[in-house]
Amino acid sequence: MVVTYERRDLLARALAAIGAQTRPPDVVVVVDNASADGTADLVRERFPAADLLVLPYNTGGAGGFAAGIARALDLGATALWLMDDDTLPRPEALEELLSTFGRHRPAIAASRVLWTDGRDHPMNTPRSRPSGVAGHPRIRSASFVSVLLDAAAVRECGLPVADYFLWNDDFEYTLRLLRGRLGLLCPRSVVVHHTAAPVFDVRTRFFYEVRNKVWLFTRSRCLAPGERLLYAGATLRRWARAFGRSPGRAR
């Protein structure tokens, strides 16, 4: 399932790469967040087999993923492979995720995400620790840039919080899914995330970072009490560093 907004050319590349998988997905769901650049027409013309969901207005990444996951569950999915429209999976990406899923049955199996220069993408590289599963570090959270979700766990936990709009929706949701469940990093499943830079300019989205983290800490049950303290402390340090280094402090 791919969420897209106003990036038809990137989406076309992503869908072509999905179609070229050594183990193609059974169904491809495309969620168009009310793009005005001809995205829906492109999907209908070039990828007619895709299940296209066109939303009436832009709900942000959070709303798009919530709608797409609900659609996939309605279609009877047993596992859901999620990604952004600027993600290019290598040919074995899904096959490797499914192999990990079949052998170890994690709630989440996450791909290794690279930037365009070949290094690990810092925005999409989760913290990991030994898991006891050879070659698969354990993770506590992941981004929506190529993750495989166990549909049974999704049905238990519900959908992402659409009101986040963007930023931290995948963080909160994967934390929620992985509270008391197994999450594994699958290094042999590789995708390239075609962001403009390896790190977002925090000035443009700092409002969503702060608002959504406050919501996460006060409204979500994704963290245990001890984790809440640790993550809150790390978040405050991050905000302080971002503010101190930003040339746009007034904004």
Side-chain angles (χ1 to χ4, degrees), residues 19 53 93 96 115 157 191 202 230:
L53 175 61
E96 293 292 346
W115 193 46
C157 288
V191 303
V202 73
L230 290 173

Side-chain angles (χ1 to χ4, degrees), residues 3 33 55 57-65 165-166:
V3 174
N33 248 324
L55 301 182
Y57 57 90
N58 181 16
T59 64
F65 278 108
F165 191 73
L166 55 82

Side-chain angles (χ1 to χ4, degrees), residues 179-233:
R179 185 170 180 183
R181 297 183 181 87
L182 177 65
L184 295 175
L185 182 65
C186 185
R188 293 171 62 90
S189 172
V190 179
V191 303
V192 180
H193 195 191
H194 284 256
T195 57
V199 179
F200 281 131
D201 182 354
V202 73
R203 288 175 294 169
T204 62
R205 300 183 177 182
F206 197 58
F207 166 78
Y208 295 105
E209 158 68 10
V210 174
R211 184 197 66 177
N212 294 348
K213 279 284 177 59
V214 170
W215 282 0
L216 186 155
F217 291 130
T218 59
R219 302 185 186 186
S220 175
R221 297 181 179 179
C222 63
L223 295 169
E227 290 179 319
R228 196 178 300 273
L229 289 174
L230 290 173
Y231 278 89

